[in-house]
Structure formats: C-alpha cells, structure tokens
Amino acid sequence: MAKPKPTRVTNRITELRQSAGLSQAELAQRIGVTRQTVNAIERGKYSPSLEAAFLIARVLQHPLDEVFDYPA
Amino acid sequence: MTFIEKSTLTTTLLLVVVFGTYFVLVLGPVATSPDRQGAFTGLVVAATVVLTILAVVSHIVLAVLFRTQANTAHDERDRLIALRSERLSGYILAIGMFAGIVLAMLETATFWIAQALLAAWVLAEVSEGISKLIQYRRGM
C-alpha cells in the first residue's frame, strides 16, 4: 500500500519545469526558496505558501490551477 | 540533506551525548555524594562549556566540508518547520517548568528542582531537533 503524502495538494511542477527547460535550482532561485524546497513541493512533501505558489505559476507561465490541484 | 538538517542532527546528537553523560553522572554518583550541590554546579558549567565548544567546532567542520550549502538562506519551509518544532519544544519546556514549581511547593531539595528544570530544557531541545529532522525527511 502506497504511503499517504503529507499534503493533498498535487502539482505538475516537474513536468512544466522540464518543459520550460529549468532545473530545480533555477526555479528555486527565481522564486526565492532553496532547491530542497522545490524538490519537496514537487514530491508532495510540502505545500508552498500562496505567495510561492503564485510565483511558481508565474515563472512556469501557466495559471495557478493548471500548476496546482486539490481533490474535491 | 540540507545544511540545516546536518546542523540540527549534529546539535541534537551533541546534546544527547553531553547531557546524557551529565545525567548519568548526576543521578548516579553525584546524587549520593555529600557535596552534591557543589559537584552538580561544576558539572553543569563543564557540560555547558563542552557543549558550546563541540557545537562551534562541529559547525566549523560542517561549514568547511559543505562550503556551498553553508551560506544558504532560510526559506519559508525552513521557517515553518522551525516554528512547528519550537511550539512542541515550548510545550515540553512549560511542562518541565510546572514540574519544577510543583517540586518547589513540595519543598524538594534545590538539587532535584535544578535537575528537573535542566532535564526539561534538554528534553525540549532534543525534541525540537528530532521534530525538525522528521519534518524535513517525511514532509509536512
């Protein structure tokens, strides 16, 4: 049985970041967090603040609800 | 593992080793010694000095070994993990303080009140470190 993730928020950051040709370190630098935090967000181990979420969406040039999802 | 995790792990291990040794000595031979007040005062000072020196030296070594990570600024995740861990640590410290007050009300010897307060502080610090490490590893 798969271990439940600490957050129910899911995201497409890995896919969108790779499409944009950005590394985790580059994305981290542009939104003002550490590479480890970007990694934790991508793996569903940390839900970013609203401000960081907006910054991620802006850097990846996608609307917020295309980057993040929360199950109904 | 980030630099903060390495630093937290090192500090927590040092606390366990230094104050673990302190409590083994204090609750063993020192507690039954006729001059336990003087002996424990010397041990507290010694443990604090040793802990400080080991913490400084170990952090210098960590900074040299992981030079690129050492200057990384704390971000929102680091701050949230620290806040959550400090809250847990605060509860433990508060319980310890109340235990100290209860011991004082019961007119327990100063020696035992001091040990209870010190144990509460050590337990609070160790819990804070463990809480941080768990949150960094498992997520939050």
Side-chain angles (χ1 to χ4, degrees):
Chain A
M1 193 174 125
K3 206 167 121 187
K5 292 196 171 177
T7 172
R8 293 181 69 202
V9 177
T10 58
N11 66 75
R12 294 173 55 217
I13 297 173
T14 309
E15 171 198 339
L16 298 174
R17 176 178 58 75
Q18 286 170 349
S19 302
L22 289 170
S23 67
Q24 284 187 340
E26 285 164 338
L27 177 60
Q29 199 250 328
R30 288 176 68 174
I31 62 170
V33 299
T34 61
R35 187 198 60 77
Q36 287 83 2
T37 294
V38 168
N39 185 46
I41 296 169
E42 287 187 358
R43 293 170 65 194
K45 290 171 89 178
Y46 172 63
S47 288
S49 67
L50 196 54
E51 193 175 341
F54 271 108
L55 282 170
I56 291 168
R58 187 173 299 168
V59 170
L60 297 176
Q61 296 181 321
H62 279 265
L64 191 65
D65 60 354
E66 279 184 19
V67 181
F68 293 95
D69 190 33
Y70 190 79
Chain B
M1 190 182 261
T2 64
F3 190 81
I4 300 172
E5 287 177 83
K6 292 182 186 98
S7 163
T8 305
L9 181 61
T10 307
T11 309
T12 307
L13 286 176
L14 286 176
L15 264 169
V16 169
V17 171
V18 172
F19 277 98
T21 308
Y22 166 86
F23 281 113
V24 166
L25 291 173
V26 164
L27 302 179
V30 174
T32 51
S33 141
D35 181 31
R36 67 183 187 183
Q37 199 71 22
F40 109 78
T41 306
L43 270 175
V44 169
V45 173
T48 308
V49 170
V50 168
L51 182 67
T52 307
I53 292 169
L54 288 177
V56 170
V57 170
S58 61
H59 278 78
I60 291 171
V61 172
L62 281 178
V64 170
L65 289 176
F66 305 99
R67 200 170 299 176
T68 52
Q69 292 182 357
N71 286 326
T72 310
H74 292 201
D75 66 10
E76 60 173 50
R77 177 166 158 260
D78 300 319
R79 284 189 291 273
L80 190 56
I81 287 175
L83 275 174
R84 286 181 174 197
S85 305
E86 284 160 14
R87 185 177 60 184
L88 169 70
S89 161
Y91 288 139
I92 294 169
L93 199 55
I95 292 167
M97 295 305 110
F98 276 111
I101 292 168
V102 169
L103 288 174
M105 285 172 174
L106 297 172
E107 296 183 359
T108 312
T110 316
F111 173 82
W112 291 112
I113 297 174
Q115 302 321 315
L117 294 177
L118 189 58
W121 175 75
V122 172
L123 200 58
E125 290 295 316
V126 170
S127 306
E128 184 179 328
I130 292 171
S131 165
K132 277 184 186 174
L133 293 170
I134 289 173
Q135 288 183 78
Y136 273 113
R137 289 288 105 189
R138 286 196 189 162
M140 52 189 292

